[in-house]
Amino acid sequence: GQQVMQIPQYQHVQEGEDFTTYCNSSTTLSNIQWYKQRPGGHPVFLIQLVKSGEVKKQKRLTFQFGEAKKNSSLHITATQTTDVGTYFCAGKRGSQGNLIFGKGTKLSVKP
Amino acid sequence: DSGVTQTPKHLITATGQRVTLRCSPRSGDLSVYWYQQSLDQGLQFLIQYYNGEERAKGNILERFSAQQFPDLHSELNLSSLELGDSALYFCASSVTGQGNNEQFFGPGTRLTVL
């Protein structure tokens, strides 16, 4: 079935280092969403990308949607301890159907 | 606070038992989703309802069932519970059911099966 693969599964960084998580689909996606789940919390929506090649920024976070709409990335510049958590991508194929979540990338930041 | 409420917060029960998890969506949201999250696992989509009707089905076991009521709250019923059903169960809601709106997640129900 349709899968959304996310790598890496875990990432440990020193505070101040950059961090990137990648999301890949075998099929073209109509849109992709990113969520963040803090330890002990619930997923919280960050952003949605719809257009081919779209790039969106939220302060230190940069989100990209690939030209072929099959991959996406989330890049965090100069990580802080508040960035700790699991980042999930979720893609949707076509006009129907539900979002398919990746397994997430768990980010830990060492102060 | 996402506006989505889930009860109970914690549930401890024994194998073979049956439990019901409850979810109230955000005001105005017509669609409700149920997810299962096991330790260090991603979000496994179980089922979606839109305005009272089943919209999509994911990896939901036959022992599990759900429904959405006229007031739009939803219940997830888990029966013949097994140890492996221990997990965090999230409910989420969105305005439409078409996957192009953000989903608002509730705080989750942590189920422990002993």
Side-chain angles (χ1 to χ4, degrees):
Chain A
Q2 180 191 2
Q3 282 192 338
V4 172
M5 308 301 293
Q6 201 172 344
I7 56 169
Q9 191 173 358
Y10 300 97
Q11 185 77 59
H12 309 282
V13 300
Q14 192 76 35
E15 188 173 20
E17 292 181 339
D18 291 356
F19 158 76
T20 305
T21 172
Y22 300 90
C23 190
N24 295 290
S25 169
S26 57
T27 58
T28 302
L29 301 171
S30 61
N31 67 314
I32 196 152
Q33 297 181 0
W34 285 91
Y35 291 78
K36 176 184 178 181
Q37 183 177 17
R38 292 182 187 272
H42 58 273
V44 175
F45 174 83
L46 294 176
I47 209 158
Q48 174 169 273
L49 305 171
V50 178
K51 299 176 185 175
S52 168
E54 189 170 12
V55 178
K56 286 188 177 180
K57 292 192 175 187
Q58 288 179 352
K59 297 183 181 178
R60 293 179 295 104
L61 277 60
T62 302
F63 304 84
Q64 290 189 316
F65 202 7
E67 294 290 341
K69 300 182 75 173
K70 288 185 177 181
N71 55 71
S72 180
S73 65
L74 158 59
H75 179 82
I76 302 179
T77 304
T79 54
Q80 299 175 358
T81 54
T82 52
D83 296 325
V84 164
T86 301
Y87 292 85
F88 293 98
C89 64
K92 181 185 166 223
R93 184 181 65 177
S95 58
Q96 303 295 325
N98 51 286
L99 284 174
I100 307 295
F101 279 80
K103 287 192 179 295
T105 296
K106 191 171 183 178
L107 172 66
S108 62
V109 179
K110 190 175 180 182
Chain B
D1 183 10
S2 66
V4 178
T5 59
Q6 287 187 251
T7 56
K9 260 189 171 178
H10 302 277
L11 200 47
I12 302 175
T13 188
T15 54
Q17 295 299 304
R18 171 190 168 94
V19 297
T20 298
L21 312 183
R22 183 188 166 104
C23 167
S24 291
R26 222 171 50 118
S27 176
D29 286 357
L30 297 179
S31 197
V32 168
Y33 310 78
W34 285 98
Y35 294 89
Q36 180 193 58
Q37 186 175 45
S38 302
L39 195 63
D40 285 339
Q41 290 294 310
L43 291 159
Q44 297 293 320
F45 168 69
L46 296 178
I47 198 162
Q48 176 199 359
Y49 280 83
Y50 177 77
N51 206 19
E53 300 287 328
E54 183 183 302
R55 172 65 68 92
K57 228 170 183 176
N59 300 321
I60 188 166
L61 300 171
E62 285 192 12
R63 300 183 285 107
F64 296 0
S65 65
Q67 54 184 327
Q68 186 179 29
F69 295 86
D71 67 352
L72 300 178
H73 90 270
S74 178
E75 291 181 358
L76 178 66
N77 301 296
L78 315 176
S79 62
S80 302
L81 285 168
E82 301 175 359
L83 296 177
D85 297 328
S86 295
L88 197 49
Y89 291 84
F90 285 110
C91 165
S93 73
S94 68
V95 173
T96 71
Q98 297 178 354
N100 52 1
N101 297 108
E102 65 181 284
Q103 294 186 16
F104 295 86
F105 283 77
T109 292
R110 182 168 295 282
L111 173 67
T112 303
V113 182
L114 301 175

